[in-house]
Amino acid sequence: MIEPIGNQYVVARPVYSAKAFGEEHKKKQRYHKTFLDHLKVCCSCSSQKAKKIALSLFPIASWLPAYQIKEWLLSDIVSGISTGLVAVLQGLAFALLVTVPPSYGLYAAFFPVLVYFFLGTSKHISVGPFPVLSMMVGAVVVKLSPSESTAALEISNSSMSNDSSTDEYKVIVAATVTVLSGIIQLLMGVLRFGFVVIYLSESLISGFTTAAAVHVLVSQLKFMLQLTVPAYSDPFSIFKVLKSVFTQLEKTNIADLVTSLIILLIVFVVKEMNQRYKAKLPVPIPIELIMTVIATGVSYGFDFENRFDVAVVGDMKRGFHTPMAPDMQIFQDTIVDSFSIAIVGFAVAFSVASVYSLKYDYPIDGNQELIALGLSNILSGSFKGFAGSTALSRSGVQESTGGKTQIAGLLSAIIVLIVILALGFLLEPLQKSVLAALALGNLKGMLMQFTEIRRLWRKDKYDCLIWIMTFIFAIVLGLGLGLAAGVAFQLLTIVFRTQFPKCSTLANVGRSNIYKNKKDYSDMYEPEGVKIFRCPAPIYFANIHFFKQKIIDAVGFNPLRILRKRNKALKKIRKLQKKGLLQMTPKGFICTSDGFKDSDDKLDNNEIEELDQPINTTDLPFQIDWNADLPLNISVPKISLHSLILDFSAVSFLDVSSMRGLKTILKEFIRIDVDVYVVGSDDDFIEKLAQCEFFDDEVKDSIFFLTIHDAVLHILMKKDYSASKLKPTQGKETKFDFTINTNGGLRNRECQVPVETKF
């Protein structure tokens, strides 16, 4: 019964053990579905289910009929044009990261948008080239296509130069990796593996993308300075690139350097203005487009290519290449890298899509996103594009310029298509250093994530450590191995958190039914002779010994040592009693001989096992009080603890190995007359113990109680503590009673159930 009294309430109920509660309140018999039941549901077919599947596979069928032309079309047109212009420039710029000719970046900016228009669930993200993925694909391209590649020579013909054959082979590698990563994403989506993104935490993604931004920065130096830098793809490659750059600084092309620095400065300043005055600006200033137009015009007008020997975009072929079949040998060589690219691409796209779905309140489907991204990459790779996801800056442009749906994305693809078919030649005089500067201009947000370290350190040191280590791994080992090492380290931190949990000893707060860490509050009280221990983590084979040691630290003694000392003392007492040298009086033991000696030689294994058995005094004509004075030189440590309560409310599972360890711990305490109680356990937890034959004559299922307070009241009633003391941690002694008044004080009651508890 619960009775409210103002801002307090009164609860009157019996003290419940788990067994008593189960006997009084019968559980409903529920049918638990088997694997076959789930399989039948999956394989069943109906018109309603078919319609649901069709709508989930083609989300456009859900939102397009509800499209509000008058309210949304103009906004989508403005957003589509703005996003398309940015997509063109980013496609050209990020192609340099893949180490393929810039024109191929336009294909990567066009085909994914078409597929996502029909299959994607987010209304606001802009799919296409993403610098981190471009960098990862570029690392694979560099690894498989050195300048003297035999494979490149095989695909070349007599009319092709060595440079063109090398570029062609790089394009094939990039396209094949893209197709393979798309296949992996598609399979994961079909098999409903969208949950895999949960293993990439926000800290890991932040540290990885920041490291990728540093890689992008270093990789663009050769274009900004126009230096010939060898391609590296092995661990420590970033340091090798820096060494190569610094040893060739005297060969820097001043025109490229000055141009790129001016572009960078202007882009950073205008982007900062866009961010600061975004509430006042109708649309962000398209600074990338403006600078591209100016730089192209200046380069063409002053003939920079011939006068200053700068590197330019060069030939921009109109139209599309014929679709290509992926190279099976490259498939075999790049399966691991492709898997990393698939996971990172999905994680980035899904995280950005989640932000917009929460902001505008619409659902997204992780599995459908995998299918959409997978088919996007397959189509893009088939037409010699490279892997894409979503660029944060490009998606920000699409959303901030008023984009309402993927109609804006479709219009951006049309802008890219126009450039591919008609206007591409206008960009031929554009310097590659300008594209490098534009690529770096998009890294500000990623590099600013360095400021996350301080915030993460204040919130969670483990998350901060994940960020730092993932960043270091990705910098030192490269993006592919760095991501794998970061994920492994992240999983290792989970093991550390559960293997070494922060256990605590609890006590009563404010004389209520609330129990907290006794170190955290001043008005703490604990029943005399009772310890309450809380384990805040699952118990399994790796932490059961840590868990046992923490219990020993909490109670202040090792129960196994006490048990062995008592059994050893019992053997001595039996010898004295058999020889008639020991008598028991109301005042205690009386020994008639002071010269009795017993051997203290080391015991063998059989004798040690004998000392570990339960204490049996049935053959003696008296009971032994182990906390009283014992005869002669028989010494056994005295303990005041009579009850131990284990709070398992945070223990989510227990494996078979730890069951044996836990049972051993319980038996060791029970054998030295310390009652052990387990509270807060779930019913399934207790049922699993029963199924594994955990209970026996010593460890019984009656030790489980619903709450800590139930166990405490049961102990007090069992020990008949009507006159017991409640020992404050400050050293004062106060009577501990069974009920709590509405004013928070304690008062005496008879030891009976049901016990009324008032708050």
Side-chain angles (χ1 to χ4, degrees):
M1 180 183 69
I2 302 177
E3 180 183 348
I5 304 176
N7 65 344
Q8 300 176 330
Y9 60 89
V10 176
V11 178
R13 66 167 178 83
V15 172
Y16 280 126
S17 66
K19 185 176 181 180
F21 184 83
E23 292 173 351
E24 184 172 332
H25 303 276
K26 299 296 182 182
K27 292 180 67 175
K28 291 193 290 186
Q29 293 294 329
R30 292 189 299 148
Y31 176 74
H32 296 278
K33 290 184 177 181
T34 63
F35 174 75
L36 290 177
D37 294 327
H38 290 289
L39 190 61
K40 288 178 182 178
V41 173
C42 292
C43 297
S44 63
C45 186
S46 65
S47 58
Q48 185 177 4
K49 186 176 181 180
K51 181 180 178 181
K52 182 179 179 181
I53 293 175
L55 290 176
S56 65
L57 288 176
F58 297 96
I60 187 175
S62 299
W63 62 263
L64 189 59
Y67 188 80
Q68 301 176 21
I69 298 178
K70 293 183 179 179
E71 290 81 2
W72 295 350
L73 183 58
L74 181 59
S75 297
D76 278 341
I77 291 175
V78 173
S79 176
I81 295 174
S82 303
T83 307
L85 295 173
V86 174
V88 169
L89 301 177
Q90 290 189 349
L92 297 173
F94 297 159
L96 298 181
L97 301 177
V98 188
T99 69
V100 297
S103 59
Y104 289 92
L106 297 178
Y107 308 140
F110 174 72
F111 288 106
V113 180
L114 295 182
V115 177
Y116 196 85
F117 174 75
F118 293 98
L119 302 180
T121 59
S122 175
K123 300 177 181 179
H124 295 89
I125 67 171
S126 173
V127 294
F130 177 56
V132 174
L133 283 191
S134 300
M135 194 72 202
M136 295 178 73
V137 175
V140 181
V141 170
V142 167
K143 181 170 63 175
L144 295 185
S145 55
S147 58
E148 300 295 329
S149 174
T150 303
L153 295 175
E154 289 177 356
I155 67 168
S156 64
N157 53 50
S158 57
S159 63
M160 294 174 64
S161 67
N162 189 57
D163 288 342
S164 62
S165 65
T166 301
D167 286 343
E168 183 66 21
Y169 186 71
K170 289 181 177 180
V171 170
I172 292 175
V173 173
T176 303
V177 170
T178 299
V179 171
L180 181 54
S181 64
I183 292 173
I184 293 172
Q185 289 175 328
L186 179 61
L187 289 176
M188 290 175 63
V190 172
L191 297 175
R192 320 302 289 175
F193 273 21
F195 66 87
V196 73
V197 72
I198 65 177
Y199 294 105
L200 301 178
S201 68
E202 180 182 344
S203 303
L204 184 142
I205 293 176
S206 176
F208 177 76
T209 53
T210 306
V214 175
H215 274 283
V216 172
L217 173 62
V218 173
S219 69
Q220 296 303 289
L221 291 177
K222 65 180 180 181
F223 296 108
M224 296 176 64
L225 305 176
Q226 203 190 116
L227 300 176
T228 302
V229 178
Y232 301 101
S233 61
D234 53 332
F236 304 99
S237 60
I238 190 171
F239 304 107
K240 296 176 182 177
V241 171
L242 287 173
K243 179 182 177 181
S244 179
V245 168
F246 288 130
T247 55
Q248 300 182 65
L249 282 178
E250 70 278 2
K251 301 178 183 179
T252 299
N253 186 301
I254 302 300
D256 273 326
L257 176 61
V258 172
T259 302
S260 57
L261 290 178
I262 293 174
I263 297 291
L264 262 181
L265 178 62
I266 296 174
V267 168
F268 275 136
V269 170
V270 176
K271 279 184 173 289
E272 184 65 28
M273 292 173 58
N274 283 340
Q275 181 64 27
R276 182 168 298 184
Y277 301 106
K278 62 181 180 181
K280 299 180 180 180
L281 293 172
V283 294
I285 301 172
I287 186 59
E288 292 96 341
L289 174 63
I290 296 173
M291 296 312 300
T292 301
V293 172
I294 294 174
T296 303
V298 171
S299 176
Y300 178 78
F302 291 94
D303 194 16
F304 276 16
E305 183 178 10
N306 295 318
R307 292 182 62 184
F308 302 108
D309 195 26
V310 300
V312 297
V313 170
D315 185 30
M316 293 280 291
K317 295 180 180 179
R318 296 185 181 183
F320 297 97
H321 294 274
T322 56
M324 55 157 279
D327 189 315
M328 291 298 107
Q329 183 59 45
I330 297 176
F331 264 20
Q332 297 176 23
D333 296 338
T334 61
I335 181 66
V336 176
D337 298 291
S338 298
F339 185 79
S340 299
I341 291 169
I343 295 297
V344 173
F346 169 60
V348 172
F350 188 77
S351 60
V352 176
S354 298
V355 171
Y356 290 124
S357 71
L358 292 174
K359 183 176 181 179
Y360 293 100
D361 192 24
Y362 61 84
I364 58 172
D365 183 351
N367 295 307
Q368 182 61 26
E369 287 294 294
L370 273 171
I371 293 174
L373 291 172
L375 289 175
S376 297
N377 282 326
I378 291 173
L379 182 63
S380 178
S382 299
F383 284 89
K384 299 187 178 180
F386 49 83
S389 176
T390 178
L392 282 68
S393 58
R394 192 170 60 248
S395 295
V397 170
Q398 181 166 319
E399 185 263 344
S400 62
T401 52
K404 304 296 183 183
T405 66
Q406 281 301 329
I407 293 290
L410 181 63
L411 293 173
S412 70
I414 293 175
I415 298 297
V416 178
L417 179 63
I418 293 172
V419 174
I420 293 174
L421 297 178
L423 303 180
F425 72 95
L426 296 176
L427 297 173
E428 291 179 355
L430 182 64
Q431 295 169 246
K432 287 185 178 181
S433 61
V434 173
L435 293 178
L438 293 176
L440 295 182
N442 289 288
L443 299 181
K444 179 184 176 183
M446 298 165 66
L447 292 172
M448 286 300 291
Q449 293 182 91
F450 274 114
T451 58
E452 289 285 293
I453 297 178
R454 182 179 298 178
R455 181 182 66 85
L456 287 174
W457 183 260
R458 289 197 301 265
K459 288 187 174 182
D460 191 317
K461 293 179 175 57
Y462 275 109
D463 278 345
C464 183
L465 194 59
I466 290 171
W467 195 104
I468 293 172
M469 294 308 298
T470 303
F471 176 82
I472 293 174
F473 288 145
I475 289 291
V476 175
L477 301 178
L479 296 179
L481 289 176
L483 176 63
V487 172
F489 181 81
Q490 176 183 249
L491 296 178
L492 195 61
T493 62
I494 297 174
V495 174
F496 284 150
R497 295 189 200 204
T498 57
Q499 189 171 351
F500 306 106
K502 192 175 181 180
C503 302
S504 57
T505 302
L506 308 184
N508 184 283
V509 181
R511 307 179 187 182
S512 65
N513 69 335
I514 300 172
Y515 294 82
K516 295 287 187 181
N517 190 330
K518 63 186 297 183
K519 297 179 181 179
D520 293 340
Y521 298 89
S522 56
D523 55 339
M524 304 293 291
Y525 301 88
E526 57 182 346
E528 187 176 342
V530 178
K531 283 289 182 184
I532 306 170
F533 179 83
R534 184 173 187 270
C535 179
I539 301 176
Y540 58 103
F541 65 93
N543 70 355
I544 184 64
H545 297 292
F546 175 83
F547 173 65
K548 178 180 180 179
Q549 187 58 49
K550 283 296 182 180
I551 294 178
I552 291 173
D553 294 341
V555 300
F557 60 85
N558 188 327
L560 182 59
R561 292 180 182 175
I562 301 293
L563 177 62
R564 289 176 176 176
K565 286 183 177 293
R566 287 187 180 183
N567 270 321
K568 194 172 182 181
L570 184 60
K571 291 178 68 176
K572 294 181 180 181
I573 291 173
R574 280 198 179 99
K575 288 182 180 180
L576 289 172
Q577 197 267 336
K578 286 181 180 179
K579 292 182 178 181
L581 302 177
L582 186 66
Q583 296 180 3
M584 185 68 182
T585 69
K587 293 185 178 180
F589 290 104
I590 297 178
C591 187
T592 58
S593 174
D594 293 334
F596 176 79
K597 293 184 179 180
D598 194 21
S599 174
D600 287 327
D601 295 340
K602 291 185 177 181
L603 304 174
D604 58 28
N605 291 336
N606 291 332
E607 290 175 316
I608 291 177
E609 289 182 6
E610 187 178 327
L611 295 181
D612 292 346
Q613 298 304 311
I615 297 172
N616 185 6
T617 60
T618 55
D619 59 325
L620 296 177
F622 47 78
Q623 293 293 327
I624 301 176
D625 182 0
W626 295 106
N627 287 326
D629 293 330
L630 298 178
L632 293 173
N633 59 344
I634 301 175
S635 176
V636 175
K638 300 176 182 179
I639 59 174
S640 60
L641 184 72
H642 59 72
S643 298
L644 172 64
I645 300 175
L646 302 178
D647 180 8
F648 276 16
S649 57
V651 178
S652 57
F653 70 86
L654 190 75
D655 67 3
V656 176
S657 299
S658 60
M659 280 185 194
R660 289 193 290 268
L662 177 62
K663 189 172 183 177
T664 300
I665 295 171
L666 299 184
K667 283 187 174 182
E668 289 173 0
F669 278 102
I670 292 171
R671 288 173 181 178
I672 61 172
D673 300 323
V674 175
D675 296 329
V676 183
Y677 302 92
V678 181
V679 303
S681 297
D682 188 75
D683 290 344
D684 294 335
F685 182 91
I686 302 175
E687 290 174 5
K688 182 179 179 181
L689 293 179
Q691 292 171 0
C692 295
E693 300 179 350
F694 182 82
F695 303 112
D696 56 23
D697 293 337
E698 290 184 89
V699 181
K700 301 178 181 179
D701 59 359
S702 59
I703 66 174
F704 289 87
F705 280 76
L706 296 188
T707 67
I708 298 176
H709 205 53
D710 281 308
V712 170
L713 295 180
H714 171 79
I715 292 168
L716 296 179
M717 289 184 290
K718 181 179 179 181
K719 297 297 181 181
D720 192 20
Y721 264 29
S722 58
S724 66
K725 302 292 184 180
L726 181 71
K727 182 180 67 176
T729 54
Q730 297 91 334
K732 298 180 181 179
E733 290 191 353
T734 308
K735 290 184 178 181
F736 187 91
D737 304 290
F738 299 99
T739 63
I740 298 94
N741 291 331
T742 54
N743 62 5
L746 297 172
R747 60 184 178 85
N748 292 321
R749 279 185 59 89
E750 294 181 358
C751 301
Q752 59 182 6
V753 291
V755 175
E756 181 181 347
T757 306
K758 298 182 180 180
F759 306 88

